[in-house]
Amino acid sequence: MGTPLHLQILERPVTSILITLCTSVWAWLHHRHLGYQDVGLSHDLVIHNRQFWRIVTSQLSHVDFIHLLFNMTSLWSLGGFEQGGQNSIVVLQQSLWLLVGSGLICLAIYHAAIYLFHKEHYRHVTAVGYSAVIFGWMALLSARGISNFSIFGMVQLPMSLAPFGALVITSVIIPQASFIGHLSGILMGYLMAYVLYSLTLDLWCSLALLALLTAGCVYSLREHISVPTTFHIPSIHLPNFARPTLPDADIESGADVALLSNQQSSHQ
């Protein structure tokens, strides 16, 4: 008899939070009738329009429910090695590196296709989904010696074949799936496994990456969202009242002196 679901959720806190987050974003997009162009990763929108926030929103967003279901099921299968505690922190750090790195690699491939091979349509290709991070995890785990991977809990694949097997299955189920996006995740996973592994385990390096990502997103959002920098207080117009005649008396206060001086000067 397997472990109850609620205990599995407690054993995989980061995985559970990510699945909840992606599902909530899908529901919000569906409710607001938003699509690929609103949140997706596009070369010209990120590079030329400097909408850096799309590196994050594109990977946490899903437009099709089948796409969401496939990705979240795969993510849950990959989360089996997370056992809470310190390991959850590592999962969170490396998920951040995979998210940022795969997005940058995808943009670099688009850029090369446009300017080296004159594939102009890649300017406007828009990608969404958590697939790149999932494929990155498959590549990372295969390089770290994890043996098997389960697809939908039914198909067992050797981890060395998992990225490419999942790529084929995804292409069959979702024909419009981004090949370059998945490839970017695989490349980032292997890059982390063989080059950046110790860097991705360093908490301070991960916090620095998070700070840079946050600063870039805030900067790009400020450029594209009008935020008033000055506030105008509306003037209040009061009705004119006749000024009362001052009685003949000795003047004692300084304010009355100033008022009398102004009256005299106005008659001159």
Side-chain angles (χ1 to χ4, degrees):
M1 189 172 179
T3 306
L5 179 60
H6 68 280
L7 293 180
Q8 294 185 49
I9 292 174
L10 293 176
E11 291 175 352
R12 312 173 187 186
V14 173
T15 303
S16 301
I17 290 172
L18 288 172
I19 290 175
T20 302
L21 177 61
C22 290
T23 304
S24 300
V25 171
W26 170 83
W28 182 78
L29 294 175
H30 182 73
H31 175 72
R32 297 295 299 270
H33 304 288
L34 300 177
Y36 295 93
Q37 293 298 326
D38 300 298
V39 294
L41 185 72
S42 169
H43 175 274
D44 279 10
L45 290 177
V46 176
I47 301 299
H48 297 303
N49 294 359
R50 294 184 291 188
Q51 297 180 11
F52 305 130
W53 49 268
R54 288 180 178 269
I55 294 175
V56 178
T57 60
S58 63
Q59 306 213 49
L60 297 177
S61 302
H62 298 79
V63 177
D64 300 321
F65 179 74
I66 295 298
H67 190 197
L68 173 72
L69 179 63
F70 181 79
N71 279 350
M72 296 304 100
T73 305
S74 301
L75 180 60
W76 183 257
S77 298
L78 286 169
F81 67 92
E82 181 189 355
Q83 299 299 324
Q86 183 67 30
N87 203 35
S88 294
I89 298 175
V90 172
V91 169
L92 186 60
Q93 291 177 214
Q94 294 189 322
S95 294
L96 173 66
W97 283 90
L98 285 170
L99 186 146
V100 176
S102 59
L104 294 177
I105 291 174
C106 185
L107 289 172
I109 294 176
Y110 286 159
H111 196 77
I114 294 168
Y115 291 100
L116 296 181
F117 302 100
H118 309 291
K119 303 293 184 180
E120 291 295 320
H121 69 279
Y122 280 109
R123 290 185 181 277
H124 308 292
V125 171
T126 306
V128 298
Y130 203 68
S131 307
V133 178
I134 293 172
F135 277 77
W137 269 115
M138 292 180 190
L140 176 60
L141 294 175
S142 66
R144 302 305 298 178
I146 304 298
S147 57
N148 293 319
F149 171 70
S150 173
I151 298 179
F152 292 117
M154 298 179 294
V155 181
Q156 292 286 337
L157 288 176
M159 186 55 78
S160 58
L161 300 178
F164 309 101
L167 181 59
V168 172
I169 295 175
T170 303
S171 301
V172 172
I173 297 177
I174 310 171
Q176 69 271 27
S178 173
F179 176 82
I180 291 181
H182 297 162
L183 178 62
S184 301
I186 294 173
L187 293 176
M188 184 59 189
Y190 285 127
L191 184 64
M192 286 174 55
Y194 296 113
V195 180
L196 304 175
Y197 191 74
S198 59
L199 193 66
T200 63
L201 295 179
D202 190 292
L203 179 60
W204 290 108
C205 290
S206 299
L207 290 175
L209 177 64
L210 179 61
L212 287 174
L213 179 64
T214 303
C217 291
V218 171
Y219 169 78
S220 60
L221 283 172
R222 286 189 61 185
E223 281 202 340
H224 294 89
I225 297 179
S226 298
V227 178
T229 56
T230 58
F231 298 92
H232 301 282
I233 300 176
S235 58
I236 301 175
H237 300 281
L238 298 176
N240 294 324
F241 296 98
R243 179 178 297 170
T245 304
L246 294 175
D248 295 333
D250 293 335
I251 299 173
E252 298 178 354
S253 67
D256 290 335
V257 172
L259 179 61
L260 182 60
S261 299
N262 290 337
Q263 284 184 337
Q264 291 175 349
S265 60
S266 65
H267 290 293
Q268 293 176 353

